[in-house]
Amino acid sequence: MLGLTTYLQQAQTGVWDVRASFLPAIYSEGVELAGGISMLLPPQRIDDDIAERVLDGIDGLILTGGRDVVPAHYGQQPHPATDEDVADNRRRDEFEFALVRGAMRRAMPVLGICRGAQVLNVALGGTLHQHLPDVIGHRRHQQGDAVFTTSTVRTLPGSRLAALIGESSDAQCYHHQAIDELGDGLVVSARDDDGVIEAVEVPDRWVLAVQWHPEERLDDLRLFAAVVEAASTYANERAQA
């Protein structure tokens, strides 16, 4: 069972225009196609004890995409291009930080996707580039209008990611932010041609996060299959403990 974090923001469906916790179905479809089962985890008030109870019900955690992490969480003032610091954004951040802390304590498998990579990094004490065009001089990582761009990512030899996807891969990107200073225990496992960090991992456990969107390429299930397998192994080990 894999727990997938969800959005928390205003949403429209039919005649309704309401605050909602939701997630694009393509994430859970990726898990299902890889042989796993999904459970959605809506942002809510949480502390470490509640996080432990949530984690008791799953075997792995997927941190999904969404709005920018609130800059105050990594000690910065907001850039004009950064999503507004509102209560729902803070609630989602704090919910996911608590889940990351709990997952790390119990060595639970974690896969971060886009925002999820940034959440993992900030939860472990790292920082972000708030607006990549200021750093690399172009907007190709996020052109806007919900159009994904293709970037070539190159893995670092010996990394878990390299073992999963090889030396390089074409990745579907939609991000205007990226990891700057690494969080505690994280190492870089992929960069793109601009030198932007595109993936990080924890060397001694199954914790991996990519800046791109593997759910947009369900003809390539390697990352989903890997986290499903890691969660299955974790569940078996927990049952035998």
Side-chain angles (χ1 to χ4, degrees), residues 101-112:
R101 291 192 299 267
M104 294 296 288
R105 281 193 295 269
R106 58 177 66 196
M108 174 180 283
V110 177
L111 174 64

Side-chain angles (χ1 to χ4, degrees), residues 75-90:
Q76 293 184 13
Q77 294 297 313
H79 186 284
T82 297
D83 289 331
E84 185 180 0
D85 178 358
V86 297
D88 283 346
N89 291 357
R90 283 184 173 252

Side-chain angles (χ1 to χ4, degrees), residues 105-197:
R105 281 193 295 269
R106 58 177 66 196
M108 174 180 283
V110 177
L111 174 64
I113 295 176
C114 196
R115 166 193 153 89
Q118 298 164 10
V119 165
L120 176 67
N121 191 60
V122 173
L124 298 179
T127 65
L128 305 178
H129 293 299
Q130 287 193 53
H131 195 51
L132 272 180
D134 292 349
V135 180
I136 58 177
H138 63 74
R139 298 177 178 271
R140 286 195 295 274
H141 291 82
Q142 188 187 80
Q143 293 186 352
D145 296 325
V147 176
F148 288 83
T149 56
T150 301
S151 296
T152 299
V153 298
R154 306 187 190 282
T155 60
L156 273 67
S159 64
R160 179 184 300 278
L161 183 62
L164 291 175
I165 68 171
E167 294 181 0
S168 66
S169 181
D170 288 338
Q172 298 300 297
C173 291
Y174 197 85
H175 62 98
H176 81 109
Q177 298 191 338
I179 291 170
D180 183 10
E181 297 177 3
L182 287 174
D184 294 340
L186 292 174
V187 298
V188 177
S189 51
R191 295 182 184 269
D192 68 7
D193 291 338
D194 292 310
V196 173
I197 295 173

